[in-house]
Amino acid sequence: MQFMLLFSRQGKLRLQKWYVPLSDKERKKISRDLVQTILARKPKMCSFLEWRDLKIVYKRYASLYFCCAVEDQDNELITLEIIHRYVELLDKYFGSVCELDIIFNFEKAYFILDEFLLGGEAQETSKKNVLKAIEQADLLQEVHSVLLQFSAL
Amino acid sequence: MSPSVPLQEMIRAIRSARTQCEERGVIQRECAAIRAQFRQADNGGRSHNLAKLLYVHMLGYPAHFGQMECVRMIASPRYSEKRVGYLGAMMLLDEKQDASLLITNSIKNDLSNSNQYIQSLALCTLACMGSAEMCRDLAPEIDRLLRASNSYIKKKAALCAVHIVRKVHDLGELFTKAARSLLTEKNHGVVHGAVVLITELCERNSETLERFRKTVPDLVQIMKGLVISGYSPDHDVAGISDPFLQVRILRLLRILGRNNEGASDAMNDLLAQVATNTDSTKTVGNAVLYETVLTVLDIKSESGLRVLAVNILGRFLLNNDRNIRYIAMTSLQKIVGTDHNAVQRHRGTIVDCLKDQDASVKRRALDLSLALVSASNIRSMMKELLSFLSSCPPELRSQTASGIFNAAERYAPSQRWHIDTILHVLTTAGGDVRDETVPNLIQLITNTSELHCYTVHKLYRALLSDISQLKVWAPCFFFKLKNVLSAFKPCTYMSVVQVTEDDVLDVLETVLQSHMSFPSTRGFALTATMKLSTRITENVDRIRSIVSIYGSCIDVELQQRAVEYNALFKKYDHMSLFCSAAICIWMHLNNVQSAGLSPPLCGVSQVCDLLDLLGGSEQPLQPSPALGSTAPPMPVSTANTVGGDLLDLLGGLEPTPITPGLTFRYIHTKNYRNRKRLTVYEKDGVTVTLSCEKQSDSGLTVTLTASNSTESDIRGFTLQAAVPKSVQLHMKAPSGDSLPARGAAKVTQMVVLNNPNKVA
């Protein structure tokens, strides 16, 4: 995977994960153009499109668009499954996730993504294991911050 | 994990801003606060501040002052700070920034940390934005982790190794052994990582590929386990056990089995099993089937299996889900060259997809349909394609038109059908036809001479009915106009419609005046009107009035033409036939030249055109010398000068490349090769002949001889000549300036011409 973008129906970016080295300016330009292109598509249209020289796979969940750019040899259908798996993970974590959860807890959305995908590829194929790992990491963070408070006293 | 309150408060504040300006204000204040906080000593809120900054960055505001803070946070011992620090590094830093090198050391330390979650942070960051130098530095560490750690870390290390190999290809050697051993692990995540790593290694290096062929049986074993095994709650997705891993294994098998009989044989059974057993009601199942089909078609599979694969694709084509149809057509496109017949069986479904609503599906269907056109199905396919053309989205139009032209050219069952098809395309989508195809069309129409009148009739009718698609086929029409009048009367194919000269002129006038015409179209219309003047006998005045209107047109090209034509009318009435022939040739060659066709070819056809225009006789042309007129700057006259012609005729005996240009007229006929002495002017008893002698490679001496066969003397007789700019002319003194009556004596004049640039 080259990058993953989450954006709202108004075109506001909610999450952007880049796995290829691009400058800030280039990233902004690509995001802007791609978001425009996808928002212009009608609801029943194909989830795949060829844009510039990339293969784009996108799917809309409620008010959020999940969009991935994959390489030529990648299987588009399994990419749809990857997107779906990520949504399921978010849903399990936040409990019936909605866009606001992702806005106010964006850093957690990133942490979950980083437990599921690494370097653009899926690292853990079991939902349960991903959620377990995040739980543990969160616990570690809690413990550390509690310790911090104690040491400050 | 408890939410970061300061962060959420800021987000709320930003979202409540009602205007862009207000939002900017809030953000500026926040950024100032964050900057101040960064400069302060260590306090408990560092991670909150950085998180705030990252949010601001995501909104699109500059956040580069946070880069150093990220570096500092990564080095912090606290997990919460590390976590946000690494996130910041992945968001704000990319390998092109210098600051990214500073975190290499931190990453190195964290990779050996006792806590696996800290290790995982480091691995994640390295895999996301590790530069080549960082990768080189840390590769040994990754290798160590691949061998001796728990499965949580191993799976991450494997994917990190993938990134390293992508950045620095040589380091692939380092990971080969470890990758091999990882395949035997139980943990799906680790196996998945290992498969991805092996795929990457094999794609980069063919030796490694050879070595890994031995793993095919192991991979087949793992796959079988996944496919046959019972329900495994951990990895199940809609009844398929670990589809992600299955797809990756299939992809690796594809690479290993390519061009290798042994490996392909070993996986045959497995592929057949997967293809038949996988449930295809959900997307997941179809994803696995898709990968299987791709693998079957790419390796040296046996024919039964191939047929099975193509049938699966055929089933996909009938699926209700648009996505599935799209990928089916993409795959069929890949094999249409090799398994043409198999794909032909599904032609009906593919052609139906042309009517789909989705533009991506339509595009795929179009590509595939064009590839499937053959001599046997040309008529039915063309019907479908033409109906598609009338309803297709604008971005596909030119592609469709070109495709139709190509197909028609290759498989046209008859000339008439071919022309019909072309005309149909032009009427439906003339504006979208690519410019390069136009000369081919003109050539085609020129060659089918027996259908000229039919073609012209149809074009005329179409032009009458719809002026909007003028751009392309105006040239076709107008070039054939010289046949118009003769064509309009007898015609076997169409009902005789008496078209008068007035009607034709009406049409041309409409074209000229229509605001939808392009300037080039108007130019063609003007030329056509001019050419008509040689054919039309009654309405010459009307033509003149039409043409002279454009003498004051804004467009320079049109104005120039109009003025030239006007001049032609005024001065060379008797030469009109010749002039239009000259123009005809020049225009044709001009356009043809710009379209890249070879001039000599056209030279020959022009001869025929020309002779035909003049009544088909082998008479010498009567170029009007510039007698009694000086050479005006107007290019028209130069063509009709003695000097110019001579150079053409004798200086350029071999067919030379024709340079298009307004100042140049080239008449090249075979007739003149052999004549040394020719009569160039014969009127009212005055005869002028010229004879030439080639002095040198670029010099020519012309002798003009004038004689008078009338009853009276002619006094004050002068000869003048004009030549193209690249030619030098030197007229010697004439022998006299009066021509005595009845050819008693002749006046001669020598003209020396020099053509240093060898202009033809």
Side-chain angles (χ1 to χ4, degrees), chain A residues 1 12-24 26-28 41-50 55 58 71-85 88 93 99-108 110-112 114-130 132-142 144-145 148 151, chain B residues 1-4 7-8 11-12 15 23 44 51-52 54-55 57-61 77-81 83-84 87 90-91 93-96 115 117-118 120 123-124 127-128 152 155-157 159-160 162-163 166-167 187-190 192 196 203 234-237 242-245 247-248 251 254 283-284 286-288 290-291 322-324 326-327 330 357-361 363-364:
Chain A
M1 197 182 294
K12 282 202 135 97
L13 267 184
R14 298 296 177 209
L15 187 147
Q16 46 171 332
K17 188 78 187 180
W18 297 81
Y19 295 106
V20 284
L22 286 168
S23 73
D24 227 11
E26 287 168 327
R27 288 182 187 182
K28 280 215 183 96
R41 283 170 78 87
K42 296 199 210 62
K44 284 284 174 70
M45 288 177 95
C46 194
S47 281
F48 314 131
L49 68 135
E50 268 136 46
K55 276 210 285 202
Y58 75 95
E71 271 100 20
D72 250 349
Q73 327 91 297
D74 284 333
N75 184 329
E76 294 99 321
L77 292 175
I78 211 75
T79 312
L80 275 178
E81 284 303 309
I82 288 180
I83 293 177
H84 191 73
R85 174 58 67 88
E88 284 178 331
Y93 183 84
E99 191 183 342
L100 282 176
D101 287 322
I102 300 185
I103 295 172
F104 281 94
N105 300 288
F106 72 95
E107 80 275 19
K108 290 183 205 136
Y110 274 103
F111 295 149
I112 296 172
D114 286 337
E115 275 302 324
F116 176 45
L117 300 177
L118 197 86
E121 309 282 349
Q123 58 176 292
E124 180 56 67
T125 54
S126 152
K127 218 178 353 179
K128 195 175 80 178
N129 289 350
V130 176
K132 207 163 52 172
I134 298 192
E135 221 176 302
Q136 294 290 338
D138 283 348
L139 200 58
L140 185 61
Q141 184 163 336
E142 284 292 321
H144 269 222
S145 53
L148 177 67
S151 66
Chain B
M1 187 176 103
S2 52
S4 155
L7 170 66
Q8 300 208 327
I11 296 177
R12 220 165 273 135
R15 281 170 65 80
E23 183 183 291
K52 282 192 209 172
L54 293 178
Y55 183 79
H57 172 78
M58 195 154 66
L59 288 177
Y61 296 90
R78 290 181 211 133
Y79 181 69
S80 56
E81 290 180 359
R83 218 180 183 192
V84 184
L87 179 64
M90 285 191 273
M91 282 179 79
L93 298 172
D94 57 80
E95 63 177 44
K96 298 189 187 133
N115 189 312
Y117 296 105
I118 294 181
S120 103
L123 284 167
C124 184
C128 181
Y152 179 73
K155 71 178 192 233
K156 292 185 191 252
L159 290 176
C160 209
V162 171
H163 177 84
R166 284 184 187 152
K167 280 278 179 231
N187 184 303
H188 281 224
V190 177
H192 185 273
V196 178
E203 276 174 349
D234 272 355
H235 303 284
D236 183 272
V237 180
D242 207 341
F244 304 107
L245 182 57
V247 165
R248 280 326 292 229
R251 192 162 139 188
R254 179 156 84 239
T283 312
V284 189
N286 286 326
V288 175
Y290 177 45
E291 199 70 31
R322 205 167 260 137
N323 295 335
I324 311 275
Y326 177 87
I327 55 150
T330 316
Q357 301 281 356
D358 185 306
S360 322
V361 174
R363 189 191 297 267
R364 283 273 168 267

Side-chain angles (χ1 to χ4, degrees), chain A residues 56-94:
Chain A
I56 307 288
V57 179
Y58 75 95
K59 191 150 180 196
R60 187 175 146 212
Y61 286 85
S63 59
L64 270 182
Y65 283 88
F66 287 70
C67 164
C68 299
V70 293
E71 271 100 20
D72 250 349
Q73 327 91 297
D74 284 333
N75 184 329
E76 294 99 321
L77 292 175
I78 211 75
T79 312
L80 275 178
E81 284 303 309
I82 288 180
I83 293 177
H84 191 73
R85 174 58 67 88
Y86 182 48
V87 173
E88 284 178 331
L89 288 167
L90 288 171
D91 196 44
K92 213 44 190 290
Y93 183 84
F94 287 109

